[in-house]
Amino acid sequence: ELQGRLGLPVLIEKDVNAAVLGEYVYRRHQESKDLVYFSLGVGVGAGLILDGVLRRGRSNLAGEIGYLSFERGGSADPSRPGWLESRIGYATIASDPVGALERILEDLAMAISCVSATLDVDTLVVGGRGAEILGPALIQGLNSRLKSLCLSPVVCSSPACPDPGVVGAARIVTEARLDQLLAGDAES
């Protein structure tokens, strides 16, 4: 519908998926074919590249870690922020970054350790506006906590790419256009 109204091609992607793709492209396989990008932005999410492929999931819900809950009796409601997002999301960070840091470190480290154990990945990036506000203390605190939470060595880093979302979005558009050209659909 949007494409028809604009008269232009439209591609829609989650911001964290664009960011993980941008970071992956920027790093050019420096470390491994797996990369998880944890974003503390407007929401809390993760972008996943496994074996060099962006993973969206069957329902396009891969990486929705904002809905992880470490409390019994929790429930997920897509119309509201999830348990983890309500505790460590941007609103919490922006209101009191210094006071919220310890809780953010504790909760995010647990989430990262769960993802790391489930996917057996070790290249982890933490970015987004919230991570920028918290600065190096976030990465240092996470790495300190992850030493005792993870079965194998895991190290978080800040994004290497100066603007991973833009780089990833450009890659998505370029690949979509190339696919059209190779399919013989040059007019689209």
Side-chain angles (χ1 to χ4, degrees):
E1 181 182 326
L2 184 59
Q3 187 165 314
R5 289 176 51 192
L6 293 174
L8 298 168
V10 174
L11 294 170
I12 297 174
E13 184 61 79
K14 289 196 262 183
D15 59 346
V16 72
N17 285 349
V20 73
L21 188 57
E23 185 71 14
Y24 186 77
V25 168
Y26 189 84
R27 289 173 181 244
R28 299 190 187 268
H29 311 289
Q30 290 176 1
E31 294 161 23
S32 76
K33 288 191 166 213
D34 300 329
L35 175 67
V36 180
Y37 187 104
F38 296 90
S39 178
L40 299 177
V42 173
V44 174
L48 312 169
I49 291 187
L50 303 173
D51 295 323
V53 178
L54 176 63
R55 304 298 178 160
R56 293 178 178 93
R58 179 181 49 85
S59 302
N60 204 35
L61 295 173
E64 291 291 341
I65 65 163
Y67 290 95
L68 288 177
S69 176
F70 301 117
E71 281 186 1
R72 294 179 193 260
S75 63
D77 178 353
S79 68
R80 296 186 358 232
W83 182 87
L84 184 62
E85 185 174 318
S86 68
R87 290 179 54 87
I88 69 169
Y90 184 75
T92 301
I93 295 167
S95 66
D96 182 15
V98 175
L101 181 60
E102 281 305 312
R103 183 176 70 205
I104 291 165
L105 288 170
E106 185 176 314
D107 290 348
L108 186 56
M110 285 194 306
I112 290 172
S113 70
C114 289
V115 170
S116 175
T118 302
L119 300 177
D120 192 22
V121 296
D122 63 355
T123 307
L124 308 166
V125 174
V126 181
R129 184 68 184 121
E132 291 171 8
I133 291 169
L134 295 170
L138 175 67
I139 300 299
Q140 292 165 356
L142 286 171
N143 285 329
S144 175
R145 283 165 175 75
L146 291 171
K147 287 177 186 174
S148 65
L149 291 174
C150 295
L151 295 171
S152 63
V154 171
V155 177
C156 289
S157 65
S158 297
C161 181
D163 205 340
V166 172
V167 173
R171 176 69 179 255
I172 290 165
V173 170
T174 302
E175 285 181 355
R177 183 64 179 142
L178 184 58
D179 288 347
Q180 288 174 338
L181 291 171
L182 292 175
D185 188 16
E187 297 299 315
S188 296

